[in-house]
Amino acid sequence: MPPCVTVIIPTFRERENIPLVLGRLDAVLGDFDWEVVFVDDDSDDGSAAVLLGLCRELPHVRAIRRIGRRGLAAACIEGMASSSAALFAVMDADLQHDETVLPKMIEAFRREPGLDLAVGTRYSGCGGMGNWSKGRQLVSRVATQMEKLLLRTPLSDPMSGFFVLRRELFEETVHSMTGKGFKILLDIVLSSRRELRTEEFPYEFRTRCHGESKLDVVVGLEYLYLLVDKTLGRLVPVRFALYVLAGLSGLLLHLLLMGVLFRAGGLPFVNAQIAATLVAMISNFLINNAVTFRAQRLKGFTFALGLTAYMAICALGAIVNVQSADYLYDKGIPWWFASATGAMIGAVWNYAVSTQIVWTWLPSMLSSRSKIK
Ligand SMILES: Nc1nc2c(ncn2[C@@H]2O[C@H](COP(=O)(O)OP(=O)(O)OP(=O)(O)O)[C@@H](O)[C@H]2O)c(=O)[nH]1
Ligand SMILES: [Mg+2]
């Protein structure tokens, strides 16, 4: 029988805190069918030995040791993916979260079958920031306000690292999460396409017991990435925005080459337009393969095949591009406008067809062939 609740605790250099947090969970979760998974990023402080000892002794304790990887959110995702429970609870190892609230959060799912998320909050009811330094309180409040301004989640404490969610919500959102940084709750909420039923549970934040905070500039930057990704993603698909940016860089390169070849070099307009189009085409392929379609990035033989297919697809787009640019230039339209319009028309064709053929159909056809072998 799978446990009803898996408590996921991401750890990095928390050797002293691990047995303490486990003792606290044992004290409050006795009545539930539960297990705990510590997801440790190969801490160099002896955490692995402590975890191994606990796992050998106690059947409700598991540990995942991630080698060569870092990240709180990614660690939590891995912990959830390793579990067959119906509910996942996430909390820190450093005893800052009040575990005595956890049973109430779990009970809420029994009481309310449609509940998606139970969130521990420091910013409503009798919740509070405890003895956190003024500086840390300010950072947390500014980050919370930024989220409120840009994304407006219905939570009073969207930065909370203390929450319980239903498995179904994890399954619905896991492929859309950024999986970066500390803000796993925000990542889940912003990756959901429906309105979530949530309930908040105020608690007083405590000071860290042992060890040091892992919050640093990189974590701050990862938080900004999450906000931008999710804000932009609500207006236009991120992939399309990236494709347009890659296209704009190709357009700049194209115009630069036109300036050099046609204006300065004295090459006939059509010849210069052909050369600039070819170079911009290759540059666009490289950027899109590395950035826009990085999840389906083509490598080795598939890369060569993809580039060939891309060039063939773009050749048709290039003919339309050159013809329209030449037509406009003949009509007395300024060279730069005629050239840019031709390139734009070609770009729309390239996006539509290459997305389908080069980065969707080609990789899936080659991978299914290699499976058949
Ligand atoms: N697996 C894993 N866990 C991490 C990583 N970074 C932090 N953690 C854990 O995530 C939890 C929260 O990290 P903290 O450093 O306490 O961050 P915080 O609570 O937001 O900040 P403070 O209030 O300053 O402590 C702790 O249990 C850490 O051990 C990481 O890269 N990988
Ligand atoms: Mg902490």
Side-chain angles (χ1 to χ4, degrees), residues 6-54:
T6 296
V7 182
I8 290 132
I9 305 190
T11 56
F12 189 68
R13 299 187 183 143
E14 304 282 4
R15 190 191 57 225
E16 285 107 333
N17 288 325
I18 290 168
L20 298 179
V21 72
L22 180 61
R24 301 243 183 140
L25 288 176
D26 279 331
V28 295
L29 294 182
D31 294 340
F32 294 93
D33 178 13
W34 68 286
E35 65 167 359
V36 58
V37 181
F38 291 93
V39 189
D40 188 71
D41 283 0
D42 204 22
S43 306
D44 53 4
D45 64 346
S47 293
V50 173
L51 287 169
L52 184 64
L54 292 170

Side-chain angles (χ1 to χ4, degrees), residues 92 94 96 205 208 213:
D92 291 354
D94 55 10
Q96 287 181 303
F205 201 56
R208 172 176 263 285
S213 169

Side-chain angles (χ1 to χ4, degrees), residues 187-204:
D187 207 354
I188 293 172
V189 173
L190 296 176
S191 301
S192 169
R193 297 217 176 102
R194 61 187 173 86
E195 206 164 306
L196 299 178
R197 272 181 71 178
T198 58
E199 195 174 326
E200 297 196 313
F201 293 81
Y203 76 98
E204 183 80 22

Side-chain angles (χ1 to χ4, degrees), residues 276-289:
T277 302
L278 278 175
V279 175
M281 206 194 285
I282 294 174
S283 156
N284 280 0
F285 176 81
L286 294 177
I287 295 174
N288 282 318
N289 193 49

